[in-house]
Amino acid sequence: MPLVVVVSDGSSSSRPRDITVILGDTNDNKPIFQEASYDFGFEENTPVGTSLFRVNAVDADSSTAGVVRYSIDEVTPSSGFSLFSIMDTTGVVTLAGSLNFTELSTFYRLKINASDGGGKCYFDEPKYFSSVAFSFITVVDIPDLDPSFLGVPYVGRVEENSPVGKSVFKVTAVDQDTGVNDKIIFSIEDSTVDGLFAISDNGVISVLSQIDREEFGDSDTVTLTVKARESKQNIHGVYASITTDVLINIIDVNDNKPEFYRCGFSCVKESHFTEDVSENSLGSIPINMTVRDLDKISKTKLTLGGADKDVFAVEPQFTTLDSIVQLVVRQPQKLDFEKTQQMVVEVIATDQDETSFQSTATVTINIKDVNDNSPTFAKVTYKLDVTEHSDVGTELARIVAEDPDTMDQGNITYSLLPESIRLYFDVDKYEGKVYVKNKTLLDREIRSLYSATLEARDTEGKPGTTVLEITLTDINDQPPVMNRDSYLEFVKEGKQLELKIEATDSDDPDTENSQIVYGIEESSYSDNFTIDPNTGVLRNSGELDREALDQALEGRIELNVIATDKGTPPLSASVTVIINVEDVNDNSPQFAAPSYEFFVKEGEKGAFVGSVTAEDLDQTTDFNRISFSIIDGSFGSFIMRTFAMERGYRGNITVDPDIELDYESEHKQFKLGVEAVDLERKTAEVMVVVNVVDVNDERPEFTAIKPVTVKENTTISGVVGRFLAHDKDTNHHLFYELESMKCRCNSSLTTCSYFILLPTGEVTQNHELKVDYEQCDQVLIEAQVIDEYTEKGENNSATTGQMVINIEDINDNVPEFIFSDSVNVVVSESTSKGTSVAGVTATDQDSGINRQIEFKVALVHFVDSNNQTQNMGLLFEAVTTQQKDVYVGIIQTTDGLDVKLKGKYLVTVNATDTGGLFTSTVLEIFTVDETYKVELEFIPSKTEVERKLNEITRALTAATKAAVRVTSLREDTDESSRASSGTIMVAYFVYSNGTALTADDVERMISDPAHYIVLKELGLKNIGTAPVIEASNPFEYVLLGLLGGLIVVLAILTTSLLCTRRNYRRKLKAAKAMNSASMVNSDNQKSGPVVPGTNKYTMEGANPVLNLNIDTTLVLDLDEESSDVDKVSLNSLDCSDDMNFPEKDTKPIMNMIQEEEEEEEEGSGPPEYIEPLGAVLAQRGPKKGSENPRHGYDNPAFSTTDL
């Protein structure tokens, strides 16, 4: 599109230019589908991946905005979303999943979206347009499914004997292909009972032949297999079908009477039953009878009939099932074989629901004889006699029993009880003859009377008994028997013995066979004793002396005493009598020596010292047994044990196992009083001297030593310190070994070797290593002392000795600056005296006062942008502070910095410790000169900007990513209106690497919409440009001087002219202004175009101050044919959103009015206001003394622009 633009300065000269405007396409059209909807039908077996249809949408835009892409936004129902897909570029819709008319939905609605590629129209962000079209897809059913029965499972019922053709049940089947719905044909394919039922075409099952439930056996149900077949072929060319089972329950009818059966492997009908029963039997009699009613539901009653029905009862009396029938004996006493051998009863079964249905069975019962009697003897007790020791088989008597049972005649057996009696006697099993079984055991002296039970049993084992009392008669066959196997008697020597010897004879006491006489068999000591022949009392004939006996006998005397009866022939027995002559303690112990002396080494626990021996002349251990003990002088250091010897006893003296004798103690010799005592406390004493022999067995011990101090970095040739130890043994030789040497370095102990330990215990410095306090401040030496002459025990000290060597610090380290990678930047304009511009940190490895550091600025140079260096004096100073172990030097200015200097300051800073050691570093402080100053104009007042300064700073930092350093805030005064119109912020934007942003850089960064919106809300209006200092040129200075002089002359002439005109025309202006003010209203004040940027209006008299008639058509180059659009465009400049000024300050105008009044006061009388408009606008009353009343005016036509 060609255009001609003309620019003119308002005079006759102008300059045209041709402009070609290229109109670019914008995204202002949305895609349009070519069809309103897309409706199709597809068979459910359509293969996955088939292209179903294609949608098409057209976008009138060009380029990217006209590119259409497709997508499926929604599928109804939502479960079908995964079944369809669309090619985003072509719009082809493809089947992505399998369709199913029956299991899934039969239709789908697709919401298809067509979106263009987007583009900018008159928007800041790209705009996208889209359209939507709907597609309805109908799924077409095909015959691919088998028919299906409804309401399964099928169960029907029909009574037996129902008439042929009766309807029983109806089955229903449908074609699952609901869209096809083919006709179904039914048939019976199979039946558990053939020929009973038929089925019609509509699925009704009916009776085909006579039904008798009892013919089915145990089953009451007939199962039919029914088939449902479609009348037409499916897609596979076959007739689809399905089968199901129909269960028909046959309902029973009571049409059978109860019957009796005999059951074995199978059951057969029977009316006669026979059974044997023993006489006197109780309980039930099984007769193998079963009663059965073939009807499913039956109630049968059983009763008895016949002549013998009272003897029995029938069980069960009532039944509803097949039951086993038994007879129960009610009167067992009538079952007597001797009276009757057979009984007959009738069992009657009656159907309770139909009593005419009845059956009868005859039961014949044969009674069997049983053995119901026991054998019996003629007497209750039989008394029998027999001589002792009779021969085996000697018959005592023949005794038999009787049994009335015929079956037991001649069949009774005999036995003797208890079993133990059969050791002596027995009986013939069949004849009942009692005889002797053991000759030897029949001894009257042992047992003279026997009692036995003779038992008889019949063929069934029924017993009958009688008692036998058997007495033995005596013969002389027993010798005397001593009452004891031996006699043992104790008598103390010197005492009298009296012992009665007793014997018995088992023969009859009324005969001589049992009379006994006593005597002593001759032996070595038989003469010392006598015995009474009738009473058997044994006594000693003289005094008994233990010491007179052979010592080998140990006081034991053995005698044989004989007891003889007076029978023929006489029999005798003997017994041993042992007499122990007990010892009496009449002797005291005696030591083998009058005294003893032994030697023992110290320090040996449980060491053997020596033995003492003693003897007691008493013969028994009760009196000659000796115990030794130490009664004096042991001090708990010895123990004594007694041991028996072949003759006498030995006492061993040993050191207590818990005690070690110590030669170094006060007990070097012990005098022990040893006592020998027997059991009756008869004693003897002896002195035993024990000498302790010295042994080197004491461990050496360390003596505590005080800490030692050694200065670092010094060399000591002598001894630093010495370990001290002592040994209690008289003979010892000590030497020292190093256990460990550890240094405390950085508050932890580590192994080191700063010092050497000599065998003598002296510690010297290791000159190969340098002792440095800054590395380690303390050394801990542990040593062990060893005694070379140790004979027993440990040869070293129980605990190690310790020596602490403290390393004393000296001032040997210079301070060290801590490196920092930060860049120091200073904004020269913002600095004043005391401004912190940089900082340094340093540490000193020394300790205490030696580590204190003081910072000082030694030299300051400035390197400009031309790499020229100049000395700046001490423009900076250092202030020292401390943070824990780190010293900080804050670099401050001593005066303001030159804002015009471009470059960096090189500040040399010294760090000095208290010992005068120092180190230096050079700081680079980059300057930011005034060329980087940026002025930001804000609409709010200075007070409001100061209040929001933190928010403004954060917003500027976010936009520029630089540190914002504000140097000043000042009010911005509009010269044309002489009123404050905002605030000017002067700031620098500095990065941490020392670089700064120019005004152009800042303007570009904050113009980003994301940041500009925030800053605009904070009141940002405009960005100013810092003055640019260019290279000086002498010729330019001359021209500037001439121009400046000309401006001054013009200013003076203009001022003079204005002052002269004001004095003569002031009153006229005021009068006309009042007249104009009264005629102007708010409706016609601003009806015409305005002069942009001025307070001039096109109306005559619109300006009450200047009262100038302005031809706006001339001044603005507007002719009468100018369009209203041009005027509106001009008016828009006055109310632009970007030109928001606060209310103008009226103070300058009021000052001007006041000055005019003061001028009038100088040449006239009492002052009074002659310009009401000035008084009204200044809102001031008349001066004091004025006679004119105060006037007020209210004219809404005047605005700030008018003033």
Side-chain angles (χ1 to χ4, degrees):
M1 177 186 295
L3 293 177
V4 178
V5 178
V6 180
V7 62
S8 173
D9 59 2
S11 62
S12 59
S13 61
S14 62
R15 179 175 298 175
R17 285 290 185 269
D18 294 333
I19 296 178
T20 301
V21 178
I22 300 175
L23 184 60
D25 187 22
T26 60
N27 188 17
D28 56 353
N29 292 282
K30 65 180 180 179
I32 302 300
F33 280 96
Q34 298 303 297
E35 295 183 20
S37 64
Y38 298 86
D39 301 335
F40 300 96
F42 299 99
E43 292 184 347
E44 60 177 329
N45 62 343
T46 301
V48 176
T50 301
S51 296
L52 302 181
F53 59 92
R54 180 176 183 272
V55 297
N56 184 29
V58 178
D59 193 318
D61 294 320
S62 61
S63 186
T64 305
V67 176
V68 179
R69 292 190 177 275
Y70 304 93
S71 63
I72 298 176
D73 290 350
E74 180 183 307
V75 176
T76 303
S78 59
S79 59
F81 191 84
S82 61
L83 299 179
F84 305 95
S85 65
I86 189 170
M87 182 68 69
D88 61 344
T89 56
T90 63
V92 175
V93 177
T94 305
L95 184 64
S98 297
L99 301 176
N100 194 307
F101 183 88
T102 305
E103 297 181 2
L104 302 179
S105 178
T106 58
F107 79 95
Y108 297 94
R109 190 190 73 168
L110 278 61
K111 182 180 178 181
I112 301 175
N113 182 292
S115 301
D116 61 16
K120 293 184 178 179
C121 181
Y122 36 83
F123 304 102
D124 294 335
E125 298 294 332
K127 187 69 175 181
Y128 298 89
F129 291 101
S130 63
S131 297
V132 174
F134 292 92
S135 172
F136 291 88
I137 297 178
T138 301
V139 180
V140 179
D141 193 13
I142 60 174
D144 60 346
L145 297 175
D146 293 336
S148 174
F149 281 100
L150 302 180
V152 292
Y154 293 137
V155 178
R157 62 196 304 271
V158 63
E159 291 184 350
E160 63 175 331
N161 304 323
S162 294
V164 176
K166 181 179 180 179
S167 296
V168 178
F169 192 78
K170 181 178 182 180
V171 298
T172 304
V174 295
D175 187 353
Q176 294 190 78
D177 298 313
T178 57
V180 178
N181 196 19
D182 195 3
K183 180 182 178 181
I184 305 299
I185 301 174
F186 298 96
S187 62
I188 296 177
E189 297 295 313
D190 191 16
S191 175
T192 55
V193 180
D194 295 332
L196 292 182
F197 300 98
I199 190 170
S200 64
D201 291 340
N202 58 357
V204 176
I205 299 174
S206 60
V207 177
L208 181 62
S209 62
Q210 183 68 29
I211 301 174
D212 187 358
R213 189 197 66 82
E214 287 73 25
E215 294 180 357
F216 299 162
D218 295 333
S219 176
D220 294 341
T221 302
V222 176
T223 302
L224 304 178
T225 301
V226 177
K227 178 179 180 181
R229 179 178 63 83
E230 294 180 3
S231 61
K232 299 178 182 179
Q233 295 181 349
N234 60 12
I235 60 173
H236 305 295
V238 298
Y239 294 96
S241 63
I242 188 173
T243 61
T244 188
D245 289 339
V246 179
L247 275 65
I248 299 178
N249 295 320
I250 308 302
I251 308 304
D252 185 39
V253 175
N254 189 5
D255 56 352
N256 291 279
K257 67 178 182 178
E259 300 281 353
F260 293 100
Y261 295 83
R262 185 188 302 275
C263 294
F265 292 102
S266 61
C267 294
V268 295
K269 288 183 181 181
E270 185 65 58
S271 60
H272 297 281
F273 297 87
T274 302
E275 189 63 42
D276 296 336
V277 62
S278 299
E279 61 177 333
N280 302 319
S281 295
L282 290 174
S284 60
I285 302 174
I287 56 178
N288 193 18
M289 177 188 288
T290 300
V291 64
R292 174 182 296 173
D293 191 328
L294 295 179
D295 293 324
K296 183 175 183 180
I297 300 175
S298 63
K299 296 179 182 180
T300 303
K301 179 181 179 181
L302 296 174
T303 57
L304 291 180
D308 299 318
K309 66 179 181 179
D310 296 333
V311 181
F312 305 94
V314 64
E315 289 291 341
Q317 295 179 5
F318 298 94
T319 180
T320 59
L321 301 173
D322 294 353
S323 299
I324 296 175
V325 180
Q326 293 181 334
L327 295 180
V328 179
V329 178
R330 297 175 60 184
Q331 299 177 8
Q333 70 276 7
K334 292 187 177 182
L335 295 178
D336 190 351
F337 179 80
E338 289 72 22
K339 295 180 179 180
T340 180
Q341 288 78 38
Q342 190 179 75
M343 291 185 178
V344 178
V345 295
E346 292 179 349
V347 180
I348 303 169
T350 303
D351 189 335
Q352 289 184 279
D353 292 334
E354 182 58 55
T355 57
S356 61
F357 292 167
Q358 189 178 83
S359 297
T360 301
T362 301
V363 180
T364 300
I365 299 173
N366 298 315
I367 300 174
K368 297 189 300 182
D369 189 19
V370 296
N371 188 354
D372 54 353
N373 293 289
S374 299
T376 58
F377 287 94
K379 295 181 180 180
V380 177
T381 303
Y382 292 86
K383 294 185 177 181
L384 307 176
D385 293 330
V386 64
T387 303
E388 64 175 332
H389 302 301
S390 295
D391 293 334
V392 175
T394 301
E395 182 178 339
L396 277 68
R398 186 184 296 269
I399 303 171
V400 294
E402 297 293 334
D403 192 323
D405 292 327
T406 57
M407 63 191 67
D408 294 330
Q409 298 298 320
N411 295 321
I412 296 176
T413 59
Y414 303 91
S415 64
L416 282 181
L417 299 175
E419 184 178 357
S420 59
I421 196 65
R422 292 198 287 271
L423 294 173
Y424 310 96
F425 305 97
D426 207 346
V427 63
D428 185 273
K429 182 177 181 181
Y430 299 106
E431 296 181 359
K433 181 179 70 174
V434 180
Y435 61 90
V436 175
K437 190 174 182 180
N438 192 311
K439 175 181 179 179
T440 304
L441 295 179
L442 293 180
D443 190 345
R444 192 204 67 81
E445 288 73 23
I446 296 175
R447 184 176 179 181
S448 61
L449 181 65
Y450 295 87
S451 178
T453 299
L454 179 60
E455 182 184 66
R457 289 183 178 272
D458 61 13
T459 55
E460 289 189 359
K462 289 183 174 61
T465 61
T466 187
V467 177
L468 303 180
E469 291 183 358
I470 303 172
T471 302
L472 298 183
T473 58
D474 184 40
I475 63 174
N476 189 15
D477 60 345
Q478 296 295 326
V481 177
M482 295 295 180
N483 290 355
R484 299 183 185 179
D485 293 336
S486 65
Y487 286 87
L488 177 63
E489 188 71 16
F490 294 89
V491 60
K492 295 184 182 297
E493 57 181 333
K495 299 296 181 180
Q496 183 65 39
L497 171 66
E498 186 171 323
L499 175 63
K500 184 177 182 179
I501 307 300
E502 294 180 334
T504 60
D505 194 316
S506 299
D507 291 326
D508 192 344
D510 296 330
T511 64
E512 290 183 350
N513 293 334
S514 61
Q515 295 179 7
I516 301 173
V517 293
Y518 299 92
I520 300 175
E521 185 178 348
E522 186 177 355
S523 63
S524 299
Y525 298 101
S526 59
D527 295 339
N528 295 328
F529 299 91
T530 61
I531 189 170
D532 189 307
N534 297 318
T535 62
V537 176
L538 180 66
R539 296 182 180 88
N540 58 304
S541 56
E543 183 179 356
L544 298 177
D545 185 3
R546 172 69 178 263
E547 285 72 26
L549 300 177
D550 187 355
Q551 188 173 0
L553 297 177
E554 296 181 352
R556 179 187 177 96
I557 299 175
E558 290 190 8
L559 299 176
N560 284 329
V561 177
I562 300 174
T564 306
D565 64 16
K566 296 180 180 180
T568 301
L571 301 175
S572 63
S574 63
V575 66
T576 301
V577 178
I578 300 174
I579 301 170
N580 282 324
V581 180
E582 293 181 328
D583 191 20
V584 177
N585 189 9
D586 54 355
N587 294 283
S588 299
Q590 297 178 0
F591 281 98
S595 64
Y596 297 89
E597 184 176 8
F598 304 108
F599 295 88
V600 62
K601 289 184 178 183
E602 66 166 336
E604 295 183 3
K605 294 182 179 180
F608 177 75
V609 178
S611 299
V612 299
T613 59
E615 182 182 5
D616 192 316
L617 296 179
D618 291 324
Q619 289 188 3
T620 61
T621 57
D622 290 340
F623 300 113
N624 68 10
R625 187 166 57 188
I626 298 174
S627 296
F628 297 97
S629 62
I630 300 173
I631 61 176
D632 187 30
S634 173
F635 300 102
S637 299
F638 301 94
I639 60 175
M640 196 167 190
R641 294 180 179 176
T642 302
F643 298 92
M645 300 189 300
E646 184 178 355
R647 186 178 181 86
Y649 288 85
R650 181 181 77 251
N652 290 345
I653 302 173
T654 59
V655 179
D656 192 314
D658 297 330
I659 300 297
E660 288 187 356
L661 300 179
D662 191 358
Y663 179 83
E664 288 73 24
S665 66
E666 59 183 1
H667 299 293
K668 294 180 174 59
Q669 186 184 68
F670 296 85
K671 293 182 178 181
L672 309 179
V674 178
E675 179 184 66
V677 59
D678 62 15
L679 294 180
E680 291 192 355
R681 309 306 298 172
K682 290 188 177 183
T683 62
E685 296 183 5
V686 71
M687 177 64 68
V688 178
V689 178
V690 179
N691 298 300
V692 180
V693 180
D694 186 23
V695 175
N696 189 337
D697 58 350
E698 295 293 331
R699 302 180 72 171
E701 298 178 355
F702 276 100
T703 302
I705 55 177
K706 295 181 178 179
V708 179
T709 301
V710 175
K711 291 185 177 181
E712 65 170 332
N713 300 333
T714 58
T715 302
I716 301 176
S717 59
V719 177
V720 174
R722 183 189 304 274
F723 282 96
L724 298 177
H726 63 279
D727 195 318
K728 295 179 181 179
D729 294 319
T730 56
N731 182 25
H732 61 266
H733 181 265
L734 305 181
F735 68 93
Y736 300 84
E737 289 183 351
L738 179 65
E739 283 288 317
S740 66
M741 183 182 300
K742 295 183 178 180
C743 295
R744 188 174 68 188
C745 307
N746 296 326
S747 300
S748 62
L749 294 177
T750 58
T751 303
C752 60
S753 56
Y754 282 158
F755 300 93
I756 299 174
L757 175 62
L758 301 178
T760 59
E762 296 176 340
V763 177
T764 61
Q765 186 176 352
N766 186 358
H767 298 299
E768 295 181 359
L769 300 176
K770 177 182 177 182
V771 179
D772 190 353
Y773 172 85
E774 284 70 34
Q775 295 181 358
C776 304
D777 60 356
Q778 190 181 76
V779 180
L780 178 63
I781 302 176
E782 289 191 359
Q784 185 66 265
V785 59
I786 300 174
D787 184 1
E788 288 185 328
Y789 295 165
T790 298
E791 299 179 54
K792 179 183 178 183
E794 302 290 340
N795 64 349
N796 60 341
S797 60
T799 59
T800 58
Q802 292 186 348
M803 177 183 292
V804 177
I805 302 178
N806 294 318
I807 309 300
E808 184 178 345
D809 184 33
I810 64 174
N811 191 6
D812 59 343
N813 289 282
V814 297
E816 297 179 356
F817 282 98
I818 299 175
F819 172 74
S820 174
D821 57 358
S822 61
V823 178
N824 300 311
V825 182
V826 62
V827 178
S828 301
E829 184 178 354
S830 65
T831 58
S832 61
K833 183 177 181 180
T835 301
S836 298
V837 297
V840 293
T841 55
T843 59
D844 195 314
Q845 295 185 8
D846 294 321
S847 62
I849 193 173
N850 294 330
R851 73 182 307 159
Q852 295 180 4
I853 300 174
E854 184 72 24
F855 295 99
K856 185 177 181 181
V857 177
L859 187 64
V860 179
H861 285 97
F862 184 80
V863 180
D864 60 18
S865 56
N866 296 324
N867 206 21
Q868 299 296 319
T869 304
Q870 56 179 323
N871 191 346
M872 302 301 292
L874 295 181
L875 191 58
F876 301 94
E877 63 181 358
V879 177
T880 304
T881 61
Q882 184 179 359
Q883 297 178 358
K884 295 183 178 180
D885 295 336
V886 177
Y887 287 84
V888 179
I890 300 174
I891 309 303
Q892 299 178 348
T893 58
T894 59
D895 201 354
L897 302 181
D898 190 348
V899 299
K900 298 180 180 180
L901 292 179
K902 296 183 179 181
K904 61 182 178 180
Y905 292 96
L906 301 180
V907 181
T908 302
V909 181
N910 292 341
T912 308
D913 62 15
T914 54
L917 301 179
F918 71 93
T919 185
S920 301
T921 186
V922 177
L923 294 177
E924 291 184 345
I925 303 175
F926 294 90
T927 64
V928 178
D929 60 273
E930 62 182 358
T931 59
Y932 294 99
K933 178 168 64 177
V934 179
E935 293 186 354
L936 303 174
E937 184 178 355
F938 287 86
I939 297 173
S941 63
K942 179 181 177 182
T943 303
E944 183 68 15
V945 173
E946 289 176 344
R947 187 178 65 83
K948 297 181 178 180
L949 187 58
N950 290 334
E951 297 181 46
I952 295 172
T953 303
R954 284 195 298 269
L956 292 173
T957 302
T960 61
K961 305 298 185 295
V964 181
R965 301 188 182 184
V966 180
T967 59
S968 65
L969 292 173
R970 70 173 186 273
E971 292 183 350
D972 182 18
T973 303
D974 190 345
E975 294 297 336
S976 62
S977 61
R978 298 184 296 279
S980 176
S981 60
T983 305
I984 300 297
M985 174 189 290
V986 180
Y988 290 83
F989 294 81
V990 184
Y991 287 110
S992 59
N993 60 1
T995 61
L997 297 175
T998 63
D1000 293 338
D1001 296 333
V1002 174
E1003 182 177 6
R1004 185 180 67 257
M1005 291 182 178
I1006 68 176
S1007 296
D1008 185 275
H1011 302 293
Y1012 176 73
I1013 294 174
V1014 177
L1015 290 169
K1016 184 177 179 181
E1017 291 177 353
L1018 294 173
L1020 179 64
K1021 176 182 177 183
N1022 198 3
I1023 302 176
T1025 306
V1028 180
I1029 303 176
E1030 300 179 354
S1032 60
N1033 190 330
F1035 179 72
E1036 292 178 354
Y1037 287 142
V1038 175
L1039 294 178
L1040 291 174
L1042 294 176
L1043 180 59
L1046 180 59
I1047 292 173
V1048 170
V1049 173
L1050 291 176
I1052 294 174
L1053 293 177
T1054 303
T1055 303
S1056 299
L1057 179 60
L1058 291 176
C1059 291
T1060 303
R1061 289 174 59 85
R1062 184 184 59 181
N1063 289 332
Y1064 289 102
R1065 302 183 63 182
R1066 178 165 47 84
K1067 292 182 180 181
L1068 182 58
K1069 291 178 182 179
K1072 291 182 178 181
M1074 184 179 297
N1075 184 39
S1076 299
S1078 62
M1079 297 173 63
V1080 178
N1081 55 48
S1082 58
D1083 296 332
N1084 58 15
Q1085 172 62 33
K1086 297 180 182 179
S1087 60
V1090 299
V1091 180
T1094 71
N1095 58 354
K1096 298 179 181 180
Y1097 289 82
T1098 57
M1099 285 185 60
E1100 180 180 354
N1103 193 317
V1105 178
L1106 302 178
N1107 196 23
L1108 298 178
N1109 294 326
I1110 302 174
D1111 188 353
T1112 57
T1113 59
L1114 297 177
V1115 176
L1116 299 179
D1117 293 332
L1118 299 176
D1119 54 15
E1120 308 230 344
E1121 297 177 356
S1122 297
S1123 65
D1124 293 337
V1125 177
D1126 298 329
K1127 297 178 182 180
V1128 172
S1129 176
L1130 293 174
N1131 289 334
S1132 65
L1133 296 178
D1134 270 349
C1135 57
S1136 173
D1137 292 339
D1138 295 335
M1139 301 296 289
N1140 295 326
F1141 294 98
E1143 185 179 354
K1144 298 296 188 294
D1145 191 359
T1146 60
K1147 185 175 181 181
I1149 299 177
M1150 290 188 289
N1151 292 337
M1152 180 184 70
I1153 297 172
Q1154 183 176 355
E1155 290 175 359
E1156 294 177 353
E1157 293 172 351
E1158 291 175 355
E1159 291 176 358
E1160 293 176 356
E1161 289 175 359
E1162 295 177 358
S1164 63
E1168 58 185 22
Y1169 284 97
I1170 59 176
E1171 291 187 37
L1173 179 59
V1176 170
L1177 295 178
Q1179 296 183 359
R1180 296 177 58 184
K1183 292 183 177 291
K1184 295 180 180 180
S1186 176
E1187 296 178 357
N1188 294 340
R1190 185 172 183 178
H1191 298 280
Y1193 297 91
D1194 184 10
N1195 192 340
F1198 297 124
S1199 66
T1200 306
T1201 305
D1202 298 328
L1203 296 180

